[in-house]
Amino acid sequence: MAADMNPSPGQLAGDSGQLAGANRQVPPDSGQSQIPAGPGLAGASGPEPTVLDWLKSVLRGRPLPIESEETPDWVPPAEPAAPRREPWRWTRAHIRLPVALFLAFFAQFGLEQRSGPIGLFIAFYLIAAVLVGWAVWAGDFPKPATAEPGTPSDWIRRRGLLGVGIVLALLTFLTSGGNEFRGITLVVWFGSLVILLAAFWDGDLSWSAWRERVRRWVGSARSGWRIQPWTIVVLAGLALCAFFRFSLLTQVPREMVSDHAEKLLDVVDVLNGQHSIFFPRNTGREAFQFYLAAATTLLLGTGVSFLTLKIGTALAGWVTLPFIYGLGKDMGGRWAGLAAMLLAGVGYWPNIIGRSGLRFPLYSLFAAPALYFLIRGLRNSKRNDLLLSGLFLGIGLHGYTPFRIMPLAVGLGLLLALLHTPEARTRRALWMGFLAAAVIAIAATMPLIRVSLDFPENVFLRTLSRIGTTEVPLPGPAVSIFFSNVWNALRMYAWDDGDIWVVSIPHRPALDWITGALFHMGAAAALIRYVRRKSWPDLYLLLLIPVLMLPSIASLAFPAENPAPNRASGAMIPVFVLAGIFLADAVGWMKERLGTERGERAGLAAVGALFAFAAILNYQLVFGHWAPLHRKSSWNTSMAGNIVRSFADSIGTLETSHVMGFAHWMDTRLVGIVAGDPTRDYAIFPDQLETLLGEARPQLFVVNPQDTVALERLTQVFPQGYVQPWFSGEEGHDFLLYWVPPSGSLLLPPPP
């Protein structure tokens, strides 16, 4: 055995003949010595064999070859053959994405401009989608980060707290009678949410644990917090988005519509001590915006005004952006999150929704965190994330009526996660976490549940009037209208966003042509990623789009109201996340093709230029197109209200100011709101003018130029008055002022 393990040099020399023509390496753990062969061994490198080696090889009948005189003393080792480049494969990998992007941009630009054959642009879009799908299938993009499943936790750790929380939730229901928030209602309601969260929370909630957290926080504060460069990038992005959302907010939009009058009257009710859970005015509205506006009035001193409403809704739209960032980051990495946030931050569709002063951005405000925590919780099997999702789900139901579709969206997420989770223990943990989240959501909705049972005709009137025949009969078969609405709604992003000028530029795509192309290519990439990798969040993002648009699609009684960008505003979350992921993938593609550093720099430069162009386009859409359109489409009640205010501050009073009522003209309540008298309707009609004959103070009447009946009646009742035209600067928005001097006077001082 020892001889076998340590052969003699002679044995090695004898074996060398068997290695002719090979350059064999003996593994170091084989027990054999490694002696390289000489040049006689088929040109292998190594020391030259001795004469004794040659003689022994002759005796074995396998003589070693003798080198000729021309054989050099050293032959360099043969270089490995270079891999054969396949030009076609290389070309495919390097042109798929650029060609797809070019075709998509060209197609979306053509659809937006309506400049050319529509069929050709659709064909280009389809080719681009095929190329993107091919690129994803071939692995042209870096793989997205995958979440590591967490360890499923116990169902309930604090059963005693659970019982207390349920009792408080029931007390919330009992004390919510009469559609009123009472002090005791708020105490037991907030108490139920805190205690139920503590009952289900996965983690140590003891006082010692809290003290340790506080101690660590204080210690880190003393040592100084370090702000990472990426944090600065994200904060700079949020600041840029704030510029788009809040700049010129007092001027864009300038005029209110009748819905604003309804909202501000509800705000006045709140300020006067009427704390309703559900506000029945104007077919019924949830409460969140009115308390937000009341708080804005008290904190900022903006009064009962259009600006008060716009501050709240613009802030709601801006606060949504960090959750879009978080969702994009979890799905495609931090660059994807940043791209999604920036595209949504400068996008003209969410910007218009946020500036509207109406409840519309509350849909996405609560849907974004609910979906963010839901997907995190389902991917990681983390109950705490699911609990937070349930909390935002319940609170969001107090915001905007279309949010009522969110329970269906959340249930769809759970279904997809369960279908793609093979482990029985993890599926059970997801079920348990989902049930705990449902308990939190129900507790958060408890006051509204009570009102829904007490006054169902108020709470469900708006929804039923659109879905059913409560207000008008359906204009056709329900199934046919539904699928027609689906088609019209899904075209919103590339073709036509409807004709609601309050929240859109009618009959153009809801996205600029750059973001629109990125979204459609991102949707195609997500579909192929799901087919390729069975990643259910990709499929979930795609299915969320029609689901979150259902409040618009389900307008069966009024199909002309579909697509409604406001009722479909929740869909902006998956739309911009898909666009952001694809934009970030373009950076990854450049890194793969050009090398890590150079590719990343080139990719960031290209993407930055593309985003800057998209930002300019969206800025022009909001301030250059929608703002003047809004002014032309709305009545100039602010101008009339300011004239009334000036009249009251100079020679007259608010009580002696009037607006002659005329069909399809300015809302006379808005005139009073602008003038600072929000609870008074300034309308008066020709047959009521005699009631003002005894007024000794000067009077002012705002008159529509087409209302010849009112003007004739004014001259009859107040012959001492005179007419002054007032030019607005907008075609069709001029009006007349009829001045009536005080009793005993023939003239008035110069009008304001």
Side-chain angles (χ1 to χ4, degrees), residues 582-648:
F582 189 76
L583 188 59
D585 280 345
V587 179
W589 183 88
M590 294 285 283
K591 290 174 62 177
E592 292 286 336
R593 296 298 171 270
L594 301 179
T596 304
E597 294 184 2
R598 185 178 64 167
E600 185 172 20
R601 287 196 300 268
L604 290 177
V607 167
L610 199 64
F611 169 74
F613 192 27
I616 294 172
L617 290 176
N618 283 281
Y619 189 89
Q620 292 175 342
L621 286 171
V622 174
F623 299 100
H625 295 273
W626 179 69
L629 172 66
H630 195 281
R631 288 196 301 269
K632 293 177 182 178
S633 303
S634 55
W635 292 108
N636 49 333
T637 53
S638 63
M639 184 175 293
N642 288 326
I643 291 174
V644 168
R645 181 74 257 176
S646 298
F647 174 72

Side-chain angles (χ1 to χ4, degrees), residues 117-177:
I118 304 303
L120 178 63
F121 298 137
I122 295 175
F124 282 166
Y125 241 145
L126 292 176
I127 295 172
V130 170
L131 289 174
V132 167
W134 185 13
V136 174
W137 191 272
D140 287 359
F141 303 114
K143 292 184 178 181
T146 56
E148 292 294 334
T151 302
S153 55
D154 296 334
W155 163 226
I156 301 173
R157 292 190 174 185
R158 307 169 186 90
R159 290 177 172 80
L161 290 181
L162 176 61
V164 175
I166 291 176
V167 170
L168 291 178
L170 294 176
L171 288 175
T172 302
F173 179 85
L174 295 176
T175 58
S176 298

Side-chain angles (χ1 to χ4, degrees), residues 196-545:
L196 285 173
L197 282 172
F200 292 119
W201 198 260
D202 187 14
D204 190 355
L205 297 179
S206 63
W207 285 111
S208 59
W210 280 106
R211 285 197 302 269
E212 178 61 22
R213 294 189 187 100
V214 172
R215 187 189 64 79
R216 287 199 301 265
W217 183 83
V218 172
S220 61
R222 289 176 177 174
S223 61
W225 285 302
R226 295 181 179 178
I227 300 179
Q228 299 297 325
W230 183 255
T231 303
I232 298 176
V233 171
V234 175
L235 292 177
L238 282 172
L240 175 64
C241 297
F243 168 77
F244 274 79
R245 297 304 180 91
F246 294 100
S247 62
L248 301 177
L249 190 61
T250 58
Q251 304 172 39
V252 180
R254 187 175 66 185
E255 302 295 344
M256 291 184 281
V257 296
S258 294
D259 274 355
H260 294 106
E262 305 286 352
K263 303 297 180 293
L264 288 172
L265 290 174
D266 286 330
V267 174
V268 171
D269 290 342
V270 173
L271 294 173
N272 290 335
Q274 183 178 330
H275 301 145
S276 301
I277 298 171
F278 188 84
F279 291 75
R281 185 182 277 112
N282 193 22
T283 70
R285 296 292 184 267
E286 290 81 1
F288 189 91
Q289 184 187 18
F290 310 123
Y291 291 99
L292 175 62
T296 303
T297 297
L298 296 175
L299 293 175
L300 302 181
T302 50
V304 181
S305 66
F306 191 18
L307 180 60
T308 293
L309 295 178
K310 288 192 290 186
I311 289 174
T313 56
L315 183 63
W318 185 71
V319 172
T320 305
L321 298 177
F323 294 103
I324 293 179
Y325 166 79
L327 184 56
K329 179 183 177 183
D330 284 355
M331 295 286 293
R334 64 181 188 176
W335 284 110
L338 181 65
M341 182 187 75
L342 291 175
L343 290 174
V346 305
Y348 96 93
W349 170 32
N351 198 347
I352 289 175
I353 294 293
R355 289 173 174 267
S356 66
L358 299 170
R359 301 174 306 144
F360 309 149
L362 299 181
Y363 187 1
S364 56
L365 171 65
F366 294 108
L371 294 173
Y372 168 66
F373 288 114
L374 175 73
I375 294 177
R376 281 174 58 94
L378 294 177
R379 293 179 77 187
N380 304 330
S381 302
K382 296 295 186 180
R383 185 196 305 161
N384 292 349
D385 288 329
L386 295 177
L387 295 177
L388 293 175
S389 176
L391 180 64
F392 282 104
L393 176 64
I395 296 175
L397 290 169
H398 295 276
Y400 182 36
T401 306
F403 191 87
R404 296 175 187 178
I405 202 64
M406 275 299 296
L408 175 62
V410 170
L412 175 63
L414 174 68
L415 177 62
L416 290 177
L418 291 175
L419 291 176
H420 291 79
T421 302
E423 298 84 5
R425 184 186 178 192
T426 304
R427 288 199 303 270
R428 180 178 179 275
L430 295 181
W431 265 115
M432 296 297 99
F434 184 81
L435 291 176
V439 172
I440 299 297
I442 292 172
T445 321
M446 194 61 75
L448 189 59
I449 293 175
R450 174 62 186 271
V451 177
S452 301
L453 296 176
D454 291 346
F455 307 100
E457 66 283 357
N458 290 336
V459 176
F460 299 108
L461 174 61
R462 184 73 174 176
T463 301
L464 294 177
S465 67
R466 264 54 195 167
I467 296 177
T469 58
T470 303
E471 191 169 331
V472 296
L474 298 184
V479 175
S480 175
I481 297 173
F482 176 80
F483 285 106
S484 175
N485 281 0
V486 170
W487 168 245
N488 290 332
L490 294 179
R491 294 189 310 166
M492 184 177 83
Y493 308 107
W495 180 249
D496 190 338
D497 60 359
D499 57 2
I500 307 176
W501 56 265
V502 178
V503 290
S504 69
I505 301 174
H507 306 300
R508 62 147 288 128
L511 305 172
D512 66 278
W513 60 268
I514 291 178
T515 307
L518 293 174
F519 158 63
H520 289 97
M521 294 302 96
L527 179 61
I528 301 303
R529 275 200 307 270
Y530 172 73
V531 174
R532 181 74 164 166
R533 301 169 184 155
K534 295 300 183 292
S535 174
W536 68 264
D538 287 313
L539 179 61
Y540 187 39
L541 284 182
L542 293 173
L543 295 179
L544 274 176
I545 296 172

Side-chain angles (χ1 to χ4, degrees), residues 19-104:
L19 303 179
N23 186 12
R24 190 176 69 171
Q25 297 282 336
V26 181
D29 57 349
S30 63
Q32 301 181 21
S33 302
Q34 302 182 46
I35 299 179
L41 299 180
S45 60
E48 182 180 353
T50 64
V51 175
L52 180 60
D53 293 333
W54 181 81
L55 289 175
K56 290 183 177 180
S57 67
V58 170
L59 293 176
R60 289 189 174 87
R62 293 189 294 274
L64 295 174
I66 302 176
E67 297 176 344
S68 64
E69 295 180 357
E70 292 77 18
T71 303
D73 294 336
W74 177 82
V75 178
E79 295 184 0
R84 188 175 58 180
R85 173 174 289 183
E86 299 182 22
W88 174 232
R89 177 177 296 178
W90 183 91
T91 303
R92 285 180 306 181
H94 283 73
I95 69 170
R96 277 189 290 245
L97 180 63
V99 172
L101 279 174
F102 174 79
L103 292 177

